[in-house]
């Protein structure tokens, strides 16, 4: 099938690459010339495992193109997939500016046969609004499909190629069937719903996962208070198939470009529809508190943080990505600076992006060893393998004091006990002081 993908962010680029990988003829369109030029050279603008390999091989096979030219991408596309960003607006609602712009751009290329797929995360009712906008401009009926995306950053390709489900929401049976056919080579279960239900499934899923994280984080705080171990509690809970093991890792709160904005957008949808959703409000409030938890622990330990040198290990909102959006490292470093601490951070890939946000409010190290040198304490903020797999004994050797506040529970009790002197403060588990 001949497919055009609008937007080369995480979702658009991964979708385009994966659809070309399963044999479709894909052209990705973006207004950002620099990005398109980079992509044409086989360079991915984002850090994502396996993306560049699939990008170059499918380009070489002639199945994948990148362009800034609308006619080139859209002229004879059977399917147009809109995957532009829907960032958070000032009032908490999703900002649909890019989506509306994309809808306007495609109008002159749409025929009665074209299927328009909205993959961007959009509030309930948006597909209908876009349909009307295009129909008003073209004077023809258009076929719309809501096809939300569930890939995670850091495993975007794997999540797309081996998705748990594909959601197809449409009022047009033929269009729904065609999109099902497009995905057929992936051999993934397909659920066909109304457009509104498909739009809601995306928000309902993200908000549920965010709530699961806030639940386990609150449970972690209770475990700390009573002396239980949240990792054991999560393991015990997760074995119950009705609960499931995933997304029960306690830590310093969820971040990224999706959960924070999507929970707020769903809450906004509830509010404008006159529905109270106190659970979502608590999910957000718990997350806000959790992001400052390590700082609270450090304040309790030291009494004050003025003049303390804190090594922050990890900056990205999660491992395997250089994305800093809503990363817990941002409020943590701000709080540490506010308390008068000096922060020196290390991240395997996110440092350049972090510099754009944090500037010189903190210092940056080129290695773990450099960051922890003569530090009063270490804050573990992102669970990169490099951080988890480091030799703890070696790491604490050059610290001023061997004190670790681990926001991601990276180390086992055995690893900690192998150190001759250490103070280890994890999340939701008993502290270990040797
Ligand atoms: C999330 C969803 O998982 C995807 O299904 C969805 O497609 C995507 O949003 C989106 O809407 O585009 P993503 O934001 O890439 O994906 O990252 P996740 O792996 O879900 O992690 C989100 C945050 O939750 C991270 O800060 C992570 O550290 C945190 N987290 C995750 C926990 O604190 N504990 C957990 O057990 C799991």
């Amino acid at each position: 099938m001949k497919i055009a993908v609008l937007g080369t962010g995480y979702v658009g680029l991964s979708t385009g690459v994966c659809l070309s990988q399963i044999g479709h003829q894909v052209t990705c369109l973006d207004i950002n010339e620099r990005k398109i030029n980079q992509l044409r050279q086989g360079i991915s603008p984002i850090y994502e495992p396996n993306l560049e390999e699939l990008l170059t091989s499918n380009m070489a096979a002639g199945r994948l193109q990148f362009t800034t030219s609308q006619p080139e991408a859209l002229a004879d596309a059977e399917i147009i997939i809109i995957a532009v960003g829907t960032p958070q607006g000032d009032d908490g609602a999703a900002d649909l500016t890019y989506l509306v712009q994309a809808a306007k751009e495609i109008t002159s290329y749409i025929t009665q046969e074209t299927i328009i797929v909205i993959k961007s995360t959009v509030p309930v009712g948006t597909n209908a609004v876009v349909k009307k906008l295009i129909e008003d401009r073209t004077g023809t009926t258009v076929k719309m499909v809501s096809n939300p995306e569930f890939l995670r950053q850091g495993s975007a390709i794997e999540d797309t190629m081996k998705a748990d489900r594909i959601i197809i929401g449409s009022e047009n049976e033929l269009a729904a069937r065609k999109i099902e056919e497009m995905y057929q080579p992936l051999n993934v279960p397909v659920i066909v719903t109304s457009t509104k239900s498909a739009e809601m499934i995306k928000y309902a899923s993200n908000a549920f996962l965010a709530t699961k994280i806030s639940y386990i984080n609150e449970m972690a705080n209770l475990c700390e208070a009573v002396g239980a171990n949240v990792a054991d509690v999560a393991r015990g809970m997760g074995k119950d198939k009705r609960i499931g093991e995933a997304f029960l890792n306690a830590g310093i709160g969820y971040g990224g470009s999706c959960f924070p904005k999507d929970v707020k957008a769903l809450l906004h949808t509830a509010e404008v529809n006159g529905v109270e959703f106190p659970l979502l409000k608590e999910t957000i409030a718990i997350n806000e508190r959790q992001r400052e938890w390590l700082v609270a622990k450090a304040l309790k330990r030291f009494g004050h943080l003025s003049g303390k040198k804190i090594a922050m290990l990890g900056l990205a909102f999660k491992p395997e990505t250089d994305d800093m959006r809503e990363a817990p490292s941002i409020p943590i470093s701000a709080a540490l600076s506010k308390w008068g601490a000096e922060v020196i951070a290390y991240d395997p890939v996110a440092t350049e992006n972090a510099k754009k946000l944090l500037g010189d409010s903190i210092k940056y190290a080129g290695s773990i060893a450099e960051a922890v040198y003569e530090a009063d304490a270490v804050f573990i903020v992102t669970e990169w393998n490099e951080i988890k797999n480091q030799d703890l004994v070696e790491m604490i050797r050059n610290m001023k004091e061997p004190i670790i506040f681990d926001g991601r529970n990276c180390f086992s009790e055995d690893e900690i006990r192998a150190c001759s002197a250490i103070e280890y403060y994890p999340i939701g588990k008993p502290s270990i002081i040797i």
Side-chain angles (χ1 to χ4, degrees):
M1 294 180 191
K2 194 159 186 317
I3 302 166
V5 181
L6 268 75
T8 54
Y10 271 97
V11 172
L13 187 56
S14 310
T15 303
V17 167
C18 291
L19 287 174
S20 67
Q21 175 69 11
I22 56 172
H24 298 298
Q25 194 63 44
V26 180
T27 306
C28 295
L29 176 69
D30 203 294
I31 47 172
N32 185 331
E33 257 178 59
R34 198 178 50 86
K35 214 172 176 190
I36 291 295
N37 284 337
Q38 230 181 322
L39 284 161
R40 279 190 179 137
Q41 292 162 43
I43 302 165
S44 169
I46 49 172
Y47 175 82
E48 190 62 51
N50 291 331
L51 181 63
E52 228 163 59
E53 288 83 339
L54 291 190
L55 180 76
T56 43
S57 63
N58 282 292
M59 279 167 71
R63 287 190 297 264
L64 182 61
Q65 279 87 36
F66 294 93
T67 183
T68 52
S69 150
Q70 290 172 12
E72 203 182 302
L74 303 168
D76 48 17
E78 295 163 72
I79 297 167
I80 298 175
I81 300 179
I82 303 180
V84 295
T86 51
Q88 191 179 309
D90 295 336
D91 55 356
D95 177 352
L96 302 177
T97 313
Y98 300 122
L99 182 80
V100 169
Q101 197 180 320
K104 287 180 183 164
E105 276 166 19
I106 62 176
T107 28
S108 30
Y109 303 95
I110 291 169
T111 69
Q112 278 200 314
E113 302 311 312
T114 322
I115 297 174
I116 301 159
V117 176
I118 298 191
K119 198 169 247 314
S120 309
T121 298
V122 292
V124 177
T126 306
N127 275 261
V129 171
V130 170
K131 183 172 169 28
K132 182 162 181 325
L133 185 150
I134 298 174
E135 287 180 347
D136 284 351
R137 289 180 157 234
T138 56
T140 52
T141 321
V142 294
K143 300 190 187 112
M144 299 282 303
V145 171
S146 166
N147 172 222
E149 182 51 60
F150 300 97
L151 63 81
R152 286 164 300 173
Q153 287 178 219
S155 54
I157 299 298
E158 166 104 1
D159 285 351
T160 309
M161 299 303 280
K162 295 182 191 156
D164 287 335
R165 79 305 207 181
I166 287 166
I167 304 295
I168 297 176
S170 185
E171 267 56 68
N172 185 311
E173 211 178 299
L174 279 180
R177 218 175 294 150
K178 176 99 175 172
I179 298 307
E180 194 169 350
E181 223 180 280
M182 174 182 88
Y183 283 120
Q184 203 277 327
L186 289 176
N187 204 15
V188 163
V190 170
I191 296 173
V192 180
T193 68
S194 71
T195 307
K196 283 187 178 175
S197 299
E199 290 170 327
M200 188 59 102
I201 287 168
K202 169 69 190 184
Y203 282 99
S205 303
N206 272 5
F208 182 82
L209 291 170
T211 303
K212 207 174 173 189
I213 295 168
S214 279
Y215 179 84
I216 203 66
N217 281 338
E218 199 75 316
M219 191 52 73
N221 300 337
L222 182 56
C223 284
E224 272 181 33
V226 301
N229 180 326
V230 75
D232 291 343
V233 172
R235 206 150 41 104
M237 286 167 64
K239 279 289 172 219
D240 184 329
K241 287 194 190 69
R242 295 168 302 172
I243 297 172
E245 291 173 336
F247 279 66
L248 282 181
N249 292 320
I252 41 174
Y254 58 79
S257 62
C258 305
F259 286 173
K261 96 171 156 63
D262 290 350
V263 180
K264 286 182 189 144
L266 184 58
L267 190 58
H268 186 267
T269 301
E271 276 163 5
V272 297
N273 285 283
V275 176
E276 286 271 337
F277 211 147
L279 180 64
L280 290 186
K281 288 186 188 149
E282 266 316 300
T283 294
I284 296 168
I286 292 168
N287 201 55
E288 295 295 324
R289 284 202 297 275
Q290 201 67 18
R291 285 148 73 100
E292 305 248 337
W293 203 230
L294 287 190
V295 180
K297 278 173 187 267
L299 274 169
K300 195 171 161 203
R301 163 62 181 81
F302 290 111
H304 71 92
L305 294 174
S306 181
K308 297 283 176 203
K309 183 181 169 190
I310 308 289
M312 196 157 80
L313 300 187
L315 285 160
F317 84 94
K318 67 171 193 175
E320 300 300 330
T321 178
D322 59 357
D323 201 326
M324 282 293 295
R325 283 176 288 181
E326 296 284 336
S329 61
I330 302 168
I332 291 174
S333 55
L336 285 172
S337 302
K338 191 189 82 185
W339 286 104
E342 183 200 337
V343 180
I344 175 152
Y346 169 72
D347 189 285
V349 302
T351 304
E352 287 313 308
N353 284 343
K355 281 181 184 167
K356 290 179 207 151
L357 280 167
L358 302 172
D360 55 13
S361 65
I362 63 168
K363 292 195 176 119
Y364 304 90
S367 66
I368 295 175
E370 188 190 335
V372 305
Y373 182 71
E374 300 225 311
D376 292 286
V378 160
F379 272 36
I380 297 179
V381 173
T382 318
E383 67 277 34
W384 284 97
N385 280 336
E386 184 186 340
I387 294 169
K388 284 198 300 200
N389 297 336
Q390 72 188 302
D391 181 342
L392 211 48
V393 176
E394 180 56 35
M395 185 186 92
I396 60 176
R397 183 166 297 152
N398 290 321
M399 290 176 68
K400 204 182 284 169
E401 293 187 79
I403 302 177
I404 298 175
F405 297 94
D406 185 354
R408 300 292 187 181
N409 290 347
C410 288
F411 300 106
S412 67
E413 196 174 330
D414 287 349
E415 284 170 293
I416 303 299
R417 296 212 177 273
C419 302
S420 52
I422 191 167
E423 280 183 46
Y424 181 69
Y425 300 96
I427 299 281
K429 297 177 180 189
S431 310
I432 300 175
I433 298 171
I434 302 171

